[in-house]
Structures are given as structure tokens and as C-alpha cells.
Amino acid sequence: DRSDWVKLMTLHQARLNQGSIDDIFQQEELWMECGQVYLHELNQKQHAFESFCQAFRLNPTQTSVRDHLFDLVDELTAWSTLRPFIEESLTQVRDPEMAAQDHLRLAQWAETHFNDLDRAVIHYQDAFKLDEEQTQALNALERIFENRQDWSSLAQILTARLNLTFDDDQRIPLLMTIGQLRFNRLDRTDEAIRAYEDVLLMDDTHVEAYNAL
């Protein structure tokens, strides 16, 4: 019966808000139960989301809490509500892959929903530092720096990509782009020459690299 669920939620909320529960794990369980009831029994998604946020604050690595929050946040357009919870939790997340995903999510929100490219860049960079296989972060940084015409930062990102690339067919065009950036945009002729020479070490018939020298 719906009224019974409402009474249960009123009781749980009163206990939680009065601070009568000292045990953090019990608090987390109650917030999770509130979220589940609001979501599945009362169809009150906003209340469910707020309850899951409180459970996340207590244990930000709990998979089921994260799943519920990330399922609801877009539907409720609640990015500004969840963002500080994730930012505050980053020091508690010990799993590098999970932390990288959180930085990536914050970066995408900053770029897409808050028009804050500076914050997006910081989170994309942090995601890549934590997980070098995070190609989404690398692709985003490359796009942002190219759009900004931040050639020095772009050269650094392309060099990072180069260091993770082992196929000569992929390394050659990267080296050519890096060489062109260093020569045409950064006035670093010696470094550009080294890039073209590296191309010729892989393909001694590469006409464009010869011409660049």
C-alpha cells in the first residue's frame, strides 16, 4: 500500500535527519533503502536521486549507488547537484579506473552543460593521468586545443598519443603532424627536424618527410 511506503519514508528520513544513527554503514543502507523505495514504489525520482546522493556521499565507490545516480542524473538534468558530490569524493576513490571515469564524466559535463572549458581540460587531463588508455580524454583534449589554437598544448597531446602508439602506419602521420606544428606554429625547428627524421627511420621513401627537411 502506498501510504505504508510513505510512512516508512517519513520514519527513515526523520531518523536520518535527526542524526540518531551513528553507524555510517547503517546510514548508507537507510539512504539506499529510501532511494529504492522512492524509485520503485513511489515513483518519485527526484527524492530517489537525493537519497542516492546521500548514500554516495557516505560511500562513493558503492557500485549500485553509482549506477542509480548515473542513470537518473541525465533524466533529471541534475548535473549541478551531483557534480560537487563527485568532486568531493575523488580523494576517496582508490581505483584509478573508477577515478578516471569520474574525471571524464565531470569533464564532459563541464564542456557540455556548463560551458566551462577550462575545468573540462583539467578533468580530461586528470582522467588521462590516471588511465593512459583513456582515449576519450585524449581525443577531447586534442579537439579543444586545436579549436583554441593552443599549439603548444596540442603538440604535447599528440606526443602523448605517439608514445602510446606502436604501429608505424599510425606513428608516421602523427610524427608528420607534430613536425609541422613544431616548425610552422612553435618555431622549434630542431624538434621538427627530429620528428621528420624519425619518420624516415620508419619509411626511408617518405617523400613529404624528405621535402620537409
Side-chain angles (χ1 to χ4, degrees):
D1 183 80
R2 183 179 177 86
S3 62
D4 291 335
W5 290 117
V6 172
K7 291 176 184 176
L8 179 64
M9 290 299 92
T10 301
L11 177 62
H12 282 357
Q13 293 281 352
R15 293 179 67 198
L16 288 162
N17 292 333
Q18 288 169 5
S20 60
I21 304 170
D22 294 328
D23 187 272
I24 290 178
F25 297 106
Q26 191 177 356
Q27 291 179 37
E28 180 195 343
E29 286 181 2
L30 277 179
W31 282 119
M32 273 297 293
E33 184 178 342
C34 288
Q36 297 280 10
V37 170
Y38 280 128
L39 184 62
H40 299 297
E41 304 298 339
L42 298 176
N43 194 30
Q44 295 181 3
K45 293 182 179 180
Q46 184 62 43
H47 286 315
F49 178 78
E50 291 167 0
S51 298
F52 290 134
C53 279
Q54 294 305 319
F56 179 88
R57 179 179 57 81
L58 295 169
N59 185 1
T61 62
Q62 224 271 33
T63 305
S64 60
V65 175
R66 298 172 72 89
D67 289 344
H68 283 303
L69 280 174
F70 299 145
D71 283 344
L72 288 169
V73 66
D74 290 329
E75 182 179 353
L76 298 174
T77 64
W79 311 289
S80 60
T81 301
L82 185 53
R83 179 171 65 173
F85 284 95
I86 299 177
E87 289 176 336
E88 290 168 13
S89 76
L90 286 169
T91 56
Q92 302 175 53
V93 178
R94 302 302 181 198
D95 179 355
E97 187 175 345
M98 181 180 286
Q101 286 294 328
D102 284 346
H103 279 295
L104 182 65
R105 184 174 284 109
L106 290 169
Q108 291 169 335
W109 291 353
E111 185 176 5
T112 305
H113 303 304
F114 301 108
N115 194 30
D116 188 347
L117 278 183
D118 290 337
R119 179 179 287 197
V121 165
I122 291 170
H123 283 300
Y124 282 132
Q125 289 173 330
D126 286 340
F128 181 67
K129 288 175 188 174
L130 287 163
D131 181 5
E132 288 192 344
E133 296 183 3
Q134 186 50 260
T135 55
Q136 281 181 276
L138 209 56
N139 292 341
L141 288 168
E142 186 176 334
R143 169 176 47 76
I144 291 170
F145 291 143
E146 187 168 4
N147 289 341
R148 284 181 163 184
Q149 298 186 357
D150 183 347
W151 308 122
S152 179
S153 296
L154 179 59
Q156 290 176 16
I157 290 301
L158 292 175
T159 301
R161 189 187 294 282
L162 179 70
N163 292 335
L164 298 170
T165 304
F166 304 100
D167 184 335
D168 285 356
D169 288 339
Q170 296 177 19
R171 288 177 62 82
I172 286 173
L174 272 173
L175 280 165
M176 291 300 300
T177 302
I178 291 168
Q180 290 159 1
L181 271 175
R182 288 171 174 171
F183 185 79
N184 295 321
R185 302 292 186 180
L186 300 172
D187 195 26
R188 284 150 52 180
T189 304
D190 290 345
E191 293 178 26
I193 289 171
R194 283 199 295 273
Y196 297 136
E197 288 175 341
D198 286 342
V199 170
L200 293 172
L201 287 174
M202 287 180 280
D203 178 4
D204 60 8
T205 65
H206 198 284
V207 175
E208 191 177 353
Y210 268 118
N211 292 337
L213 293 171

